[in-house]
Amino acid sequence: METTLLLAAVIFKLVGVVFIFGAAVGLIRFRDPFQRMHAATKAGTVGAIFTVLGTMCSLQSVGPTLIGLFIIAFLLLTVPVAGHLLGRAAYMSGGSIDGLDGEDALRGVLERQDLPLEDRITPQTRHPQVNVSRESSDR
């Protein structure tokens, strides 16, 4: 029984690492913030859950199992809400929707900026040059 649990732990952890690696690749490769958010929230959560399951199997104790179950419940309750709020903020701030197929279903429902934030910031406000004279610093 112990050998079976240790083998299951290794398999769960490997599956978790594969999903987390997929989430990392998705963050690097996807074009717009919504696709990146999808990769991070879905694959990252599944990877974390499998990794926690593997740890629960390898420790084989009641305490770590309860903590692992609380961690999994916490992930399942918080990550979808955080992903939704990040997506809403990205949409309203004018984030790129390059990967959108079809029409924008939220047009007219949520206010949206015309340009993304990086295009609204002028070069002068990105790196403001502070000119402090010696006289004003002595006051």
Side-chain angles (χ1 to χ4, degrees):
M1 181 71 170
E2 187 174 319
T3 307
T4 307
L5 282 175
L6 290 177
L7 181 63
V10 169
I11 291 171
F12 282 146
K13 289 178 184 179
L14 285 175
V15 170
V17 166
V18 167
F19 272 99
I20 291 171
F21 181 74
V25 169
L27 285 173
I28 295 169
R29 302 267 319 202
F30 285 148
R31 297 183 300 197
D32 63 36
F34 302 103
Q35 292 173 343
R36 291 182 188 132
M37 178 194 61
H38 180 76
T41 56
K42 304 298 185 271
T45 303
V46 171
I49 287 172
F50 273 110
T51 305
V52 170
L53 284 173
T55 304
M56 288 166 43
C57 288
S58 66
L59 293 177
Q60 301 176 8
S61 179
V62 175
T65 301
L66 287 176
I67 292 172
L69 291 175
F70 282 126
I71 290 171
I72 290 171
F74 181 77
L75 286 171
L76 291 175
L77 290 173
T78 58
V79 173
V81 174
H84 175 78
L85 292 175
L86 283 172
R88 183 181 175 107
Y91 179 82
M92 292 178 74
S93 70
S96 170
I97 51 177
D98 293 337
L100 180 67
D101 292 335
E103 66 181 55
D104 182 5
L106 292 176
R107 185 178 303 265
V109 177
L110 291 176
E111 291 183 27
R112 179 171 164 81
Q113 295 290 325
D114 295 331
L115 295 172
L117 180 62
E118 52 270 2
D119 292 341
R120 289 185 306 217
I121 298 176
T122 61
Q124 291 81 22
T125 58
R126 279 191 191 172
H127 303 287
Q129 305 233 343
V130 179
N131 293 327
V132 178
S133 67
R134 186 173 180 98
E135 298 163 339
S136 63
S137 63
D138 290 338
R139 293 181 195 174

